[in-house]
Amino acid sequence: MEYSIIFLPLFGAILSGFFGKIIGDKLSEVFTSFFVIISTFLSFLIFINVITQDYSSNIKIFTWITSGDLQVNWSIKIDALSSVMLVVVGIVSSLVHIYSIGYMAHDESRSRFMSYLSLFTFAMLTLVTSDNFLQLFFGWEGVGLCSYLLIGFWYKKPSANKAAIKAFIVNRVGDLGFALGIFLIFYYFGTVNYSDVFYKVSNFSGMQTNFLGININVITLICLLLFLGSMGKSAQIFLHTWLPDAMEGPTPVSALIHAATMVTAGVFLVVRCSPIFEYSQFALNFVCIIGMMTAFFAATVALVQNDIKKIIAYSTCSQLGYMFFAAGVGAYHVAMFHLFTHAFFKALLFLGSGSVIHSFKKEQDIRLMGGVWKKLPYTWTLMLIGTLALTGFPFLSGYYSKDAIIEFAYLKNSTIGFYAVFVGIFTAVLTSIYSWRLFFKTFHGKYSNNKINIKEIHESPLVMLVPLIALAVGAVLSGFVFKDLFIAGDSGVNFWKKSIFFSNPIVHDHLPIWLLIITPLLVVISIPVSYHLFLKNKKFVSKLAEKHKRVYEFLLNKWYFDEIYNSIFVKMFKKLGLIFWKNCDIKIIDQFGPDGFAKLVKYFSNKAVEFQSGYIYHYAFVMLLGFSILLTYLILI
C-alpha cells in the first residue's frame, strides 16, 4: 500500500511526460488523475489505521548511500505526522488534477502540465514520508524544481519566466541554510537518520561552537539553519518575495503549491524536528518572531492589492506565519491542525478565483469585476464558504484552528506568547477586512469591465465545480471533526505520540472569556464594516488612501522589499556578473580556451592550404619535411 501511495503519481508523471504525445492529452489527464486519486484513497486508509490501530511503520525500499559510518536508506516512514500530510497532499493534489482538466482544456501542452503536477505530488510525498534528512532534502529540492517548471509553464510569457527564476533563486538562499544544517547534523551526530539524531540531541544541548566568529550553541545553530530553509520554502518575511510573483503560473499551480504542498514543507520541517527545536528556546523564539512578523506584514499588503490571486497569495503567506508562531510557542500540534484546515479553504479560494478568472477570460484585477454574483451562483457560494472559513467565522474550520493558535499562545504564559496573542488577533481582523474586500469587489457592486460584456460571463463547467464542492465540505467540517483528535487535551498528545515531541505540553484550559469571544466577535463585526467601506461608501476609502498616500503606496509596493533587494543585491551581482563575463570569461577563458584553439587551428589550416598550390616543388618540400621528422623520431627512440 505504501509503495503505491508514493510511486503511482511518479508513474503517472512518466506516462504523461514521455508518452503524452502518443496516448493523447485526454488519456494523459485521465491516467494522471486516476493514479493520484488511488494514491489519495490509500492515504485515507493509512490515516484511518493510524487513528484506530495506532499504526506506524518504516519500510526500507533500498539502501541509498553507504560510506564509512554513513548509511542512508530510501524509506517510507509512516506515523501520525506523515499520515496527516499524506491525506492533505493527496486530497488537494487529486482535486487540482481534476480541476485542471477543465481549466486547462484549451491549452496546447496539457499532457506536459499534468506530468508536472504528478511529479510535484511525488516529490512532496517523498518529502513527508522520509525517515532521514537526506531523503527529505531530495523531496525538498524536488518540489523546488517542479515549482520552477509549473510557475514557468507558459514559458513564452516573459513574466512567467522571470517569476520561475525568482522563485528558484530565492529558494536557493533558504536551501543553502538547510543544507548547512544537514551538514552540521552529520558532523556532530554522525548520522542523518531522524531516530538516531533525535535520540542523541540531548547530549549536545550544552555544546558550543564557533560560527563566523561567533560562539553559539550547536543545537541553536542547527535549528536556525534548518529554519532558514523553512523561511525560503514557506515564504516567510525576507524570503517571501517569490510567492506573489509565482501567481504567473496557471491557477491550479497556485492552489497546489500554495495550499497544501510546497509552502507547507517548511512548517512540516519545523514540526518534524520538534525534538531538536525543543532544546533551543532561542531558536523557538526566533521562529515565533518571524511567524508574527510574516502574519502581520502579509496581511497589511493584502489589504491594498488588486490582483485576485496575489491577495490570496499574501493571505497564504500570512496564514503560514500563524503556523510558525504556533510552532514557536511549542504548540506544534496546533500548527499542524491549522495546516490541515488551511489546506481546504485556501485551495478552495485559489480554485474559486480560478473559476472567476476563467469566467472573465483571464482577467485578474478585482477592480474590473463586480456585479456578477447572479451570473456565477455556484462560484459565489463556494467562495463565500472559503472566505468565511479563512476569516475564522464561528464554527467553520478556520475558527477552530486559528483561534486555537491564539489560545495556546496565551497559555504559553510568556512575554513572546502574549505578543503573539496581540499580533494574532490584530492580523485576524486585517484578514477579515481584505478577504471581504476581495469578495465584495469581485461579486457585488457595479459591473466594471468595459472589455467583456456581462452577458458573456458564465459559470465554470462541472469538472471545475466538483473539486470546489469537495473542498467546501472540508472547509466547513474539517475543524469541527478533527479538533478533538488533533489538539484537545490528552487525546491530541496521544494521537501525535512520538511523531511530535512535547517537552512541556500546554494544558488547554482555564481560558478567560474575553479571549474566547474577542476574535470571533471582531471577525463578525468586520463583515458589515467591510460591506460599508467597499460597497456603500467607496469614497471614504479613496479619500483615506489619498490622505495617507505614502502609507498606501508603501503597502501597495509591498513594503518596497523588491526595490530594496534590487538595489542591494540584484544590481551589485549584475555588475559583478558583467565584470567576470567580460574580463574573465571573454578575455581569459574564451580567448585562451575554445576561441584560442579555434584561432590556432584556423592559422595552421590556412598555412596548410598554401601548400595545396599545384606546384610539384611544394609537394616535394612537404614530403621532405615529413621524412625528416620521421627520421629524427626513429633516431631518438
Side-chain angles (χ1 to χ4, degrees):
M1 187 186 299
E2 286 85 350
Y3 288 96
S4 299
I5 291 172
I6 305 299
F7 292 109
L8 279 176
L10 177 62
F11 181 68
I14 294 171
L15 185 65
S16 180
F18 290 100
F19 305 101
K21 291 185 179 180
I22 298 173
I23 63 177
D25 291 334
K26 283 291 182 185
L27 283 178
S28 293
E29 291 169 340
V30 170
F31 281 133
T32 51
S33 301
F34 176 74
F35 289 141
V36 173
I37 290 170
I38 294 298
S39 175
T40 303
F41 175 74
L42 296 175
S43 297
F44 265 110
L45 296 180
I46 291 287
F47 184 54
I48 292 169
N49 286 340
V50 170
I51 296 172
T52 59
Q53 301 176 24
D54 194 22
Y55 174 75
S56 64
S57 66
N58 193 342
I59 301 170
K60 176 182 172 182
I61 301 176
F62 59 85
T63 300
W64 188 13
I65 298 173
T66 301
S67 178
D69 295 331
L70 177 65
Q71 182 169 341
V72 181
N73 297 325
W74 193 282
S75 304
I76 302 176
K77 180 181 177 65
I78 301 296
D79 58 9
L81 182 59
S82 60
S83 68
V84 170
M85 290 300 296
L86 285 176
V87 170
V88 169
V89 173
I91 290 174
V92 175
S93 182
S94 57
L95 293 176
V96 167
H97 273 74
I98 297 169
Y99 180 90
S100 299
I101 295 173
Y103 191 86
M104 302 293 289
H106 303 293
D107 197 273
E108 297 177 354
S109 304
R110 283 177 288 165
S111 60
R112 178 167 62 91
F113 182 75
M114 300 303 285
S115 175
Y116 289 168
L117 287 183
S118 291
L119 186 62
F120 191 103
T121 306
F122 163 73
M124 192 65 194
L125 293 174
T126 300
L127 188 157
V128 300
T129 57
S130 59
D131 80 332
N132 61 79
F133 286 98
L134 208 56
Q135 184 181 336
L136 173 70
F137 191 73
F138 174 87
W140 192 274
E141 293 303 306
V143 293
L145 169 63
C146 293
S147 69
Y148 170 79
L149 297 173
L150 287 166
I151 294 168
F153 178 75
W154 288 321
Y155 58 87
K156 294 181 181 179
K157 187 179 176 184
S159 58
N161 277 324
K162 290 179 180 178
I165 293 170
K166 185 176 183 180
F168 199 78
I169 291 174
V170 172
N171 271 276
R172 296 288 70 72
V173 177
D175 291 354
L176 173 62
F178 186 30
L180 289 174
I182 295 174
F183 294 152
L184 274 180
I185 287 171
F186 176 68
Y187 179 77
Y188 283 104
F189 293 84
T191 179
V192 291
N193 296 319
Y194 292 153
S195 57
D196 296 332
V197 171
F198 298 160
Y199 178 76
K200 296 178 179 179
V201 67
S202 60
N203 299 331
F204 296 88
S205 59
M207 182 177 289
Q208 298 284 316
T209 188
N210 187 282
F211 182 73
L212 301 178
I214 302 171
N215 285 326
I216 187 172
N217 181 270
V218 169
I219 301 300
T220 297
L221 179 58
I222 289 172
C223 290
L224 292 177
L225 289 171
L226 293 178
F227 181 62
L228 183 59
S230 296
M231 287 177 63
K233 200 65 73 182
S234 294
Q236 294 300 282
I237 193 167
F238 305 121
L239 294 179
H240 68 279
T241 53
W242 67 270
L243 186 68
D245 290 11
M247 298 301 107
E248 290 293 338
T251 300
V253 173
S254 304
L256 185 62
I257 292 177
H258 305 123
T261 51
M262 177 173 162
V263 294
T264 60
V267 179
F268 171 81
L269 173 63
V270 172
V271 175
R272 175 60 84 190
C273 294
S274 55
I276 305 177
F277 278 85
E278 280 295 303
Y279 283 92
S280 174
Q281 189 58 49
F282 180 86
L284 285 175
N285 291 343
F286 185 76
V287 171
C288 189
I289 291 168
I290 292 295
M292 286 190 289
M293 291 173 63
T294 305
F296 172 75
F297 153 75
T300 61
V301 173
L303 283 172
V304 299
Q305 298 303 304
N306 298 307
D307 187 306
I308 186 171
K309 286 172 65 178
K310 286 189 177 181
I311 294 171
I312 301 173
Y314 277 110
S315 173
T316 299
C317 195
S318 181
Q319 297 305 306
L320 288 165
Y322 271 99
M323 298 174 206
F324 277 113
F325 80 65
V329 297
Y332 304 103
H333 55 324
V334 184
M336 287 303 301
F337 182 41
H338 192 51
L339 185 154
F340 183 78
T341 60
H342 174 265
F344 292 103
F345 59 73
K346 190 51 60 69
L348 174 60
L349 287 171
F350 266 121
L351 296 184
S353 70
S355 181
V356 173
I357 294 166
H358 183 265
S359 301
F360 275 90
K361 300 179 180 179
K362 306 304 180 184
E363 179 58 65
Q364 296 183 196
D365 194 329
I366 59 174
R367 295 172 297 182
L368 302 178
M369 298 178 185
V372 295
W373 72 278
K374 291 182 179 179
K375 302 287 290 184
L376 306 172
Y378 299 113
T379 301
W380 178 86
T381 303
L382 295 163
M383 285 286 282
L384 176 62
I385 293 172
T387 301
L388 289 169
L390 170 62
T391 57
F393 191 83
F395 310 116
L396 273 73
S397 59
Y399 163 75
Y400 292 102
S401 59
K402 190 186 295 183
D403 279 28
I405 292 175
I406 296 170
E407 291 163 10
F408 273 82
Y410 176 84
L411 290 169
K412 181 68 174 177
N413 197 28
S414 64
T415 302
I416 198 166
F418 294 140
Y419 277 120
V421 170
F422 174 77
V423 172
I425 294 172
F426 186 65
T427 303
V429 176
L430 296 180
T431 302
S432 188
I433 293 172
Y434 71 67
S435 297
W436 289 114
R437 173 178 176 264
L438 181 151
F439 185 79
F440 290 139
K441 280 186 168 291
T442 301
F443 294 104
H444 294 274
K446 184 181 177 181
Y447 183 74
S448 307
N449 198 309
N450 297 322
K451 296 181 180 179
I452 306 171
N453 192 308
I454 193 170
K455 294 180 180 179
E456 298 178 40
I457 303 297
H458 58 84
E459 191 60 89
S460 298
L462 195 62
V463 71
M464 292 173 64
L465 291 176
V466 169
L468 290 174
I469 294 169
L471 290 168
V473 173
V476 173
L477 298 177
S478 61
F480 175 76
V481 172
F482 291 99
K483 64 181 176 64
D484 290 335
L485 179 68
F486 283 2
I487 65 171
D490 292 335
S491 61
V493 176
N494 290 337
F495 169 73
W496 297 107
K497 293 194 179 342
K498 294 182 179 179
S499 65
I500 295 177
F501 181 70
F502 297 94
S503 61
N504 296 299
I506 302 173
V507 181
H508 192 225
D509 59 4
H510 304 301
L511 290 165
I513 298 297
W514 68 266
L515 184 67
L516 295 173
I517 65 172
I518 186 170
T519 307
L521 182 63
L522 291 172
V523 164
V524 172
I525 291 173
S526 67
I527 300 175
V529 171
S530 300
Y531 179 80
H532 179 74
L533 290 175
F534 303 119
L535 284 182
K536 292 298 181 181
N537 194 8
K538 295 180 181 178
K539 291 183 179 179
F540 175 78
V541 177
S542 300
K543 289 179 181 178
L544 190 66
E546 187 65 30
K547 184 178 179 180
H548 302 282
K549 191 174 182 180
R550 289 187 177 180
V551 176
Y552 174 74
E553 290 180 349
F554 178 72
L555 298 179
L556 189 65
N557 288 285
K558 302 159 287 188
W559 291 28
Y560 294 104
F561 269 105
D562 285 305
E563 289 77 5
I564 293 170
Y565 287 172
N566 186 58
S567 299
I568 297 175
F569 299 112
V570 177
K571 288 182 178 179
M572 180 185 71
F573 283 116
K574 191 174 181 180
K575 288 179 180 178
L576 284 174
L578 288 172
I579 291 170
F580 282 113
W581 172 50
K582 290 182 178 180
N583 295 306
C584 296
D585 197 10
I586 295 177
K587 293 183 179 180
I588 299 175
I589 297 174
D590 285 348
Q591 184 173 342
F592 295 101
D595 290 349
F597 282 114
K599 288 179 181 178
L600 196 64
V601 170
K602 187 177 181 181
Y603 173 79
F604 283 112
S605 297
N606 290 334
K607 290 298 180 181
V609 166
E610 294 178 4
F611 290 107
Q612 308 295 321
S613 61
Y615 294 108
I616 294 176
Y617 61 85
H618 281 168
Y619 297 115
F621 173 72
V622 172
M623 292 171 64
L624 181 61
L625 183 63
F627 177 73
S628 301
I629 293 171
L630 178 61
L631 187 62
T632 302
Y633 172 74
L634 292 173
I635 292 172
L636 290 175
I637 62 172

